[in-house]
Amino acid sequence: MDFVARIPEDKIAEIKQSVDIVDVISEYVQLRKQGRNYFGLCPFHGENTPSFSVSQDKQIFHCFGCGMGGNAFSFIMEMEGISFQEAAEKVAAKGNIELQIDPNTYNHNQSSLPPDQAEMIKAHELLTKFYHHLLLNTNEGTDALHHLLERGFTKESIQKFNIGYSLPEWNFAVNYLEKHGFSLETMEKAGLLARRNKDQAFVDRFRNRIMFPLLNEKGKIVAFSARALSDEDHPKYLNTPETVLFHKSSLLYNFYQARSHIRRLGYTVLFEGFADVISADRAGVSNGVALMGTALTERHIQLLKRLSNTIVLCLDSDDAGVEAAFKSGSLLEKYGMNVTVAQLPDKLDPDDYIQQYGAEKFREDVIGNAQTWMAFKLFYFRRGKNLQNEGDLLDFIDRAIIEIAKLGNAVERDMYIRQLSEEFTLSLEALMSQLNERVQPTAMKEMEKQQAEERRSEPPKADLPRQQRLPAIALAERQLIAKMMQQEELVYRIMEMMGDGAFHYDEHQAIVTYLLGYYEEGNKPDSSLFMNYLPDLKLQKIVSEIEMLAVDHEYSEKELNDYVSHVLKYPKLLMIKEKQAEQKAAERKKEFGKAIELAKEILELRRSL
């Protein structure tokens, strides 16, 4: 294997044993234990019910939805878009294992991304470093740095979020990138350069602006948001246009950096803009993320659900912020998230509030005192209404009761209905009667919905619908491979029983061939380590799927003989079907002599079975 020359197998085994795959994956995905395994939402494809399984016993993962599977190394490789060596370094660091790789044999910049996308990311990283240097260490960046410090930014925040400054020249980035060997056409596709109308020459997209790098969910810099130095300059914010790497509807600012804090605290704070995230981080709220000037989308929610089911909305307190909070909260509620709302007074945004009242009051009085989603909805429904007016009051009460009836907790329903009774001096009995009329059908709908969700979220059974759809021959071959991976001696026994026969599926035959090589090099049965031995991602996926089968370590000779017999008979069964089809075709053409010969051949094949 290519990686063996760079990292010895004993070192790979040491790294693998130093970490628990559940801990590694939990940094990216919210996992819940069900039976022996852990389940969560797959980070490799969009889904709303968990089909992503992690086996702590076997130290592997597998998604029954998209088929992705592997071990801790391959998970990091896929999530971060990096090479095996880089993934090994990351896993080794998590397990406090010293890993020294010869730089002469290891290309650290090796990437699993397409070459043009890898070039785009490299360019973003290079420009980020240079913009950051310009801001902090040059005379050209003095005004921009002074502007940030005046607005309450600290040098610590500037460094933590890699904030920078772009020069006012029209072609600085053009020359800088070209000098470092980047294709200007590719840089245009990355959104870093643009074309001048009059002569189609390349020019810098970002000039004389404060630069905020934007990271995707894998921690790669894929775009910039650039703020004008003066509020009079327009546009105030200039974002990278949509590119192959950057989609505003699927990117959350600070998501990558906030992951561990969200997992530790158990909830995410969703802000309106990245300035609020940076201010909140400075105030000690490190689990904040922000939208990129777009409405909340399903893709955003899928990202958030991987880490936590609980969201605190902390949007601006003006009318637009309240409307955004209601729309976002309603969508989050639809996808089964627990929502609370941190409301700010005096139409302030989080950045203004922190500067005016301080970090402690923001943490305790705003974030720590977030109101329930039901309380916010009642606040939202009364906006713009004159509750001294009988019609407006009745309309508000009716909407409030409709929402209260949806609450699954009887104590909550009672609490809110009593609040309405006391606030508006209304008969508690009358309100309860109206509530009860709505609760029964609503409760039934909610119960049916919950039961459907529970059915969908049940972990796949041991034999799995996915496996049940496989042909019998595929299942037989996979059962044999599963046993071979459990016991080394079974590889040689089964191969002896197979004789000159081979597995029907090329992928299965390839896995067995690699397994023989794996054992011949002195390795012990370990499916997680064996996956590192496989050079092909498709084979790794099949191995992870096979490992999720419920296969007993105990076996009988009859069981082995049955599986081997099924595999060996399969080519003859296929031949019988082919000859039967030929026989029917001959009969239709009235070629009876040929049909009789084919019938004899079919009979001989059946006897040989």
Side-chain angles (χ1 to χ4, degrees), residues 124-138:
H124 277 93
E125 290 172 348
L126 186 67
L127 281 177
T128 296
K129 290 176 183 176
F130 193 77
Y131 289 149
H132 187 62
H133 170 76
L134 282 173
L135 178 67
L136 289 178
N137 302 305
T138 68

Side-chain angles (χ1 to χ4, degrees), residues 100 112 116-117 122 143 187 191 248 285 287 388 391 416 418 431 530 534 607:
Q100 295 179 338
S112 62
D116 61 332
Q117 294 183 31
K122 187 178 178 182
D143 289 344
M187 296 302 97
K248 289 190 290 185
V285 178
N287 55 330
Q388 303 302 314
Y416 286 114
R418 287 180 185 276
L431 290 174
F530 174 54
L534 296 170
R607 283 174 179 167

Side-chain angles (χ1 to χ4, degrees), residues 205-221:
R205 181 177 296 279
F206 304 109
R207 302 181 301 278
N208 195 32
R209 286 177 174 268
I210 296 168
M211 305 296 292
F212 296 86
L214 307 178
L215 280 64
N216 65 11
E217 62 195 87
K218 298 178 180 179
K220 303 296 183 184
I221 303 170

Side-chain angles (χ1 to χ4, degrees), residues 120-165:
M120 291 176 185
I121 287 174
K122 187 178 178 182
H124 277 93
E125 290 172 348
L126 186 67
L127 281 177
T128 296
K129 290 176 183 176
F130 193 77
Y131 289 149
H132 187 62
H133 170 76
L134 282 173
L135 178 67
L136 289 178
N137 302 305
T138 68
N139 291 332
E140 290 91 338
T142 301
D143 289 344
L145 179 60
H146 183 67
H147 175 82
L148 285 170
L149 296 175
E150 270 192 336
R151 289 183 58 84
F153 285 75
T154 64
K155 286 194 174 181
E156 289 76 15
S157 287
I158 291 169
Q159 289 171 337
K160 180 174 182 177
F161 290 91
N162 259 323
I163 301 169
Y165 168 67

Side-chain angles (χ1 to χ4, degrees), residues 498-564:
M498 294 275 292
D500 295 329
F503 281 29
H504 174 68
Y505 291 93
D506 291 341
E507 294 89 349
H508 293 171
Q509 187 62 48
I511 289 169
V512 172
T513 302
Y514 282 116
L515 188 60
L516 277 165
Y518 173 81
Y519 284 139
E520 285 170 3
E521 290 182 14
N523 297 300
K524 300 298 179 188
D526 187 322
S527 57
S528 180
L529 281 179
F530 174 54
M531 284 182 191
N532 294 334
Y533 196 85
L534 296 170
D536 183 74
L537 180 61
K538 185 178 181 181
L539 299 183
Q540 292 177 10
K541 290 179 180 180
I542 293 172
V543 167
S544 72
E545 194 168 342
I546 290 171
E547 275 296 278
M548 289 297 179
L549 285 165
V551 180
D552 291 333
H553 283 267
E554 298 298 323
Y555 64 92
S556 65
E557 289 300 313
K558 182 180 184 309
E559 185 182 2
L560 283 185
N561 283 321
D562 285 346
Y563 287 133
V564 170

Side-chain angles (χ1 to χ4, degrees), residues 157-426:
S157 287
I158 291 169
Q159 289 171 337
K160 180 174 182 177
F161 290 91
N162 259 323
I163 301 169
Y165 168 67
S166 57
L167 293 169
E169 282 84 352
W170 283 82
N171 60 355
F172 173 79
V174 172
N175 295 333
Y176 188 73
L177 291 168
E178 191 170 34
K179 179 184 174 183
H180 283 82
F182 291 98
S183 159
L184 297 186
E185 287 77 12
T186 302
M187 296 302 97
E188 181 188 16
K189 291 176 184 176
L192 295 172
L193 306 179
R195 297 265 193 173
R196 190 160 51 198
N197 288 332
K198 64 179 181 180
D199 57 6
Q200 291 297 296
F202 288 107
V203 294
D204 296 5
R205 181 177 296 279
F206 304 109
R207 302 181 301 278
N208 195 32
R209 286 177 174 268
I210 296 168
M211 305 296 292
F212 296 86
L214 307 178
L215 280 64
N216 65 11
E217 62 195 87
K218 298 178 180 179
K220 303 296 183 184
I221 303 170
V222 295
F224 288 104
S225 185
R227 192 194 191 284
L229 288 180
S230 169
D231 290 340
E232 283 71 45
D233 291 341
H234 295 286
K236 184 178 177 182
Y237 285 101
L238 178 64
N239 290 334
T240 297
E242 295 274 314
T243 70
V244 67
L245 295 176
F246 174 55
H247 305 283
K248 289 190 290 185
S249 61
S250 62
L251 187 141
L252 289 166
Y253 183 75
N254 200 46
F255 178 82
Y256 181 78
Q257 300 94 317
R259 291 171 311 153
S260 60
H261 304 289
I262 293 169
R263 295 288 299 127
R264 176 173 55 84
L265 296 168
Y267 68 96
T268 308
V269 183
L270 181 63
F271 293 101
E272 196 165 311
F274 54 78
D276 297 327
V277 169
I278 296 170
S279 296
D281 183 81
R282 199 165 62 244
V285 178
S286 52
N287 55 330
V289 301
L291 302 168
M292 289 304 305
T294 65
L296 188 72
T297 66
E298 181 182 349
R299 175 60 180 155
H300 290 141
I301 295 174
Q302 288 170 352
L303 287 174
L304 294 168
K305 284 187 81 169
R306 289 183 198 167
L307 302 178
S308 171
N309 282 326
T310 301
I311 304 292
V312 177
L313 294 174
C314 187
L315 307 181
D316 295 356
S317 59
D318 58 13
D319 289 342
V322 172
E323 287 292 340
F326 182 75
K327 288 179 182 176
S328 296
S330 299
L331 190 61
L332 289 162
E333 183 185 38
K334 177 184 173 183
Y335 282 93
M337 305 287 275
N338 302 316
V339 185
T340 59
V341 183
Q343 283 202 283
L344 295 154
D346 309 322
K347 296 191 176 181
L348 296 175
D349 62 27
D351 187 28
D352 292 333
Y353 182 93
I354 292 166
Q355 291 191 43
Q356 189 169 330
Y357 295 103
E360 186 177 350
K361 282 187 72 66
F362 179 73
R363 289 195 307 270
E364 295 182 4
D365 295 352
V366 177
I367 303 300
N369 196 32
Q371 62 183 169
T372 66
W373 178 234
M374 186 69 240
F376 177 79
K377 282 195 284 190
L378 294 179
F379 158 78
Y380 178 81
F381 293 147
R382 70 174 66 205
R383 289 171 66 249
K385 284 187 168 53
N386 175 12
L387 297 183
Q388 303 302 314
N389 176 280
E390 185 178 299
D392 280 4
L393 177 60
L394 288 173
D395 181 60
F396 166 70
I397 294 295
D398 190 53
R399 289 196 71 180
I401 288 176
I402 289 171
E403 294 301 320
I404 293 170
K406 294 177 183 177
L407 294 171
N409 188 303
V411 174
E412 280 188 277
R413 292 198 299 269
D414 184 75
M415 180 182 74
Y416 286 114
I417 212 73
R418 287 180 185 276
Q419 284 181 8
L420 292 179
S421 173
E422 291 170 8
E423 182 178 357
F424 299 105
T425 323
L426 296 171

